[in-house]
Amino acid sequence: MKVRTLIIGAGAAGMMCAAHAGPGVLVVDHARAAGEKIRISGGGRCNFTNLHTGADNFISQNRHFAKSALGRYTQWDFIALVDSHGIPWHEKTLGQFFCDTSAKDIVDLLRAEMDRAAAQLWLQTAVLDIRQDGADFIVNLKRQDREVTVTARNLVMASGGKSIPKMGATGFAYQVAEQFGLPVVTPRPGLVPLTFSDDRFRPLAGVATPARVTAGATGFDEALLFTHRGLSGPAVLQASSYWQEGDAISVNLTPGTDLMGALQRHRKGDPRKALMTILSLYLPGRLVDYLAGGFDLSGTMADQSDARLTALCADLQAWQVTPSGSEGYRTAEVTLGGVDTAALSSRTMAARDVPGLYFIGECVDVTGWLGGYNFQWAWSSGWAAGQAIKER
C-alpha cells in the first residue's frame, strides 16, 4: 500500500496533523479507539487549551523552539474551531478552557476534521519496523492478524511519551528518533505527585490547602494536597516538572497573606488564645496539629515575641521538604524531555537531516504547564507539520 503521509499515533497531535496534511494520509494506532488520553483528560471534560498560552509556559532545552508553532496556530484558532463545531465550553480559573459536556466532543471534532480531509484511520495496528528506501519510508504493520507494508513519502511520529503506560504509552517515538540519528533528551515524568519514602504525610492524607510550591527558581500558587504517599495537587504537579531528584522543595503555606502582620494583630486583640487556635484560622486544623510535631507552636498569643513570630513565619512560608521520588510514569500527566529540538525545524517540525520525517506533540522536548498548555502544543505542532507536509 502506498500513501503520501503515514502518521503513527491517533492522539491529539496526530489527528490534528492528519486534518491539515492534505490528501493521501493514513493514521495508525495500536489502541482500540482514537484520542484515548483526550477522553480521560480534565476529569472527562478535556482542558483543551489555555487563554494565556505562550512559549514561557513550556519547558525545553530551547525555550524559543515552541514560539513558531504556537504563534502561527494559537489558542484562539483552536477555540474558533471548537465554536465552529458547536461545542459548548467554559473558562475556569487561570485561563483554563473546558468542554461543558464531554471530552468526547473534542475527539469527535478531530475525527470530523479528519473525515473532511479524507484521512484514513487504522486502529489496533502495530508497527513492526520502519526503514527508509531513497525518498520513501517503508513501514511494516500488523493489522487484523496480517502484515501490511506501507510506503510513505512523509512519516510523522505522533505516538506521545511514556506517561500513563496503562493506556499503552511507550517510548516508541524515541526509538525511531535514535534509529534515524536524532538525539533524545532523557525523558522523565512530569506533572506528577511527589513521594516520601517514610510516608511522613500519611496522617494528613486528604488535607488540601492553598500554597506556593517552589522547585529550583520556579514556584506555583495553587492547591496543595497531602496524600498517603506524599504531596500532590496542582501546585505540586506544576513544581514537579522543575524538581530534580535529591533537591528540596520550598512550600509557602500562607501565600498572599501577611502572616506576620496578622499574628501581631491577634497578639494584641486575642492575647489569651492559643497560638495553634489562631493558626487554625489560616491553615487546616489537621495541618496545624501535624506541624506542632516539628515546630514550636506552644503558648498563647501573649507569649509570642516578635522574634519568635518572625521565626515561625519563616518556617511556615519557606517549609523545606525533600521528596524521595515521584509516582513515576504511572500517574504522570506528561513526559519531560524527548526528541531534541536542535534536530528539528521549529517551523515545520521536520527532522533537519532526514527529509520527510516529522515529530510532533509530547514526544518532542517541549512540555507545557498544567492547565491546557500541552493540548495547545499538540494542536499547534500538529498543525505546523500538517501545513508543511501539504506544501511539500
Side-chain angles (χ1 to χ4, degrees):
M1 179 178 178
K2 187 174 180 64
V3 298
R4 186 165 177 270
T5 303
L6 175 63
I7 300 174
I8 298 176
M15 288 193 286
M16 188 68 173
C17 182
H20 292 276
V25 174
L26 170 63
V27 182
V28 300
D29 199 296
H30 61 187
R32 292 178 177 272
E36 286 292 77
K37 279 192 177 180
I38 299 174
R39 294 175 194 274
I40 67 167
S41 67
R45 297 289 181 89
C46 187
N47 179 191
F48 58 82
T49 193
N50 195 291
L51 178 66
H52 307 300
T53 301
D56 289 344
N57 305 116
F58 294 83
I59 302 167
S60 173
Q61 287 199 339
N62 178 0
R63 62 189 182 89
H64 300 292
F65 181 84
K67 288 181 178 178
S68 178
L70 293 173
R72 289 183 297 126
Y73 191 89
T74 70
Q75 59 269 44
W76 304 112
D77 292 316
F78 193 76
I79 292 167
L81 179 62
V82 170
D83 287 340
S84 74
H85 282 259
I87 298 172
W89 54 266
H90 58 280
E91 180 184 349
K92 294 182 73 173
T93 58
L94 303 174
Q96 301 170 20
F97 283 62
F98 287 80
C99 296
D100 282 356
T101 50
S102 169
K104 188 175 180 295
D105 290 343
I106 300 297
V107 178
D108 292 343
L109 175 158
L110 293 167
R111 289 298 308 273
E113 292 293 311
M114 286 176 61
D115 289 344
R116 183 179 301 172
Q120 296 184 71
L121 174 63
W122 289 2
L123 296 170
Q124 294 181 275
T125 300
V127 179
L128 302 179
D129 64 75
I130 300 171
R131 66 184 189 278
Q132 195 173 20
D133 182 8
D136 292 330
F137 294 92
I138 313 298
V139 183
N140 289 324
L141 306 172
K142 187 171 185 180
R143 179 176 187 246
Q144 297 174 345
D145 293 325
R146 67 187 183 93
E147 292 190 17
V148 180
T149 298
V150 175
T151 301
R153 185 184 181 200
N154 305 295
L155 176 64
V156 183
M157 295 304 305
S159 54
K162 294 183 175 182
S163 56
I164 318 183
K166 70 179 181 181
M167 298 194 67
T170 69
F172 182 59
Y174 312 140
Q175 298 171 28
V176 174
E178 291 172 341
Q179 175 185 338
F180 286 97
L182 281 72
V184 174
V185 178
T186 303
R188 59 188 180 91
L191 299 180
V192 63
L194 299 176
T195 59
F196 294 76
S197 57
D198 56 5
D199 292 340
R200 68 183 69 176
F201 297 124
R202 182 178 290 273
L204 291 175
V207 173
T209 187
R212 179 173 180 81
V213 180
T214 301
T218 307
F220 295 91
D221 290 356
E222 291 192 65
L224 164 69
L225 173 67
F226 293 93
T227 71
H228 286 90
R229 288 171 51 81
L231 299 175
S232 189
V236 171
L237 298 184
Q238 294 275 43
S240 73
S241 293
Y242 293 86
W243 175 72
Q244 299 291 332
E245 193 164 347
D247 290 350
I249 60 173
S250 178
V251 181
N252 181 346
L253 292 170
T254 57
T257 299
D258 177 10
L259 184 60
M260 182 66 179
L263 293 177
Q264 287 175 325
R265 288 190 295 275
H266 283 294
R267 184 176 59 187
K268 182 177 181 180
D270 305 296
R272 295 183 180 180
K273 287 190 175 180
L275 172 60
M276 290 180 62
T277 300
I278 297 300
L279 287 176
S280 295
L281 300 174
Y282 300 93
L283 296 170
R286 281 175 61 192
L287 177 55
V288 173
D289 291 341
Y290 177 87
L291 293 171
F295 302 138
D296 182 6
L297 304 183
S298 61
T300 64
M301 293 307 300
D303 297 328
Q304 313 304 318
S305 65
D306 278 351
R308 190 174 174 191
L309 290 180
T310 298
L312 175 62
C313 290
D315 288 336
L316 297 180
Q317 295 182 322
W319 186 22
Q320 301 290 308
V321 293
T322 303
S324 57
S326 77
E327 293 282 2
Y329 290 117
R330 181 179 64 84
T331 60
E333 296 199 17
V334 294
T335 304
L336 293 155
V339 180
D340 195 328
T341 57
L344 304 175
S345 162
S346 62
R347 180 169 181 82
T348 67
M349 307 304 298
R352 295 186 183 277
D353 299 327
V354 187
L357 179 61
Y358 300 78
F359 291 84
I360 59 176
E362 188 183 354
C363 69
V364 179
D365 178 32
V366 174
T367 305
W369 290 1
L370 186 71
Y373 296 101
N374 288 292
F375 273 127
Q376 186 58 48
W377 172 244
W379 316 139
S380 298
S381 61
W383 177 91
Q387 294 296 308
I389 291 168
K390 186 163 57 178
E391 295 167 4
R392 186 169 184 245

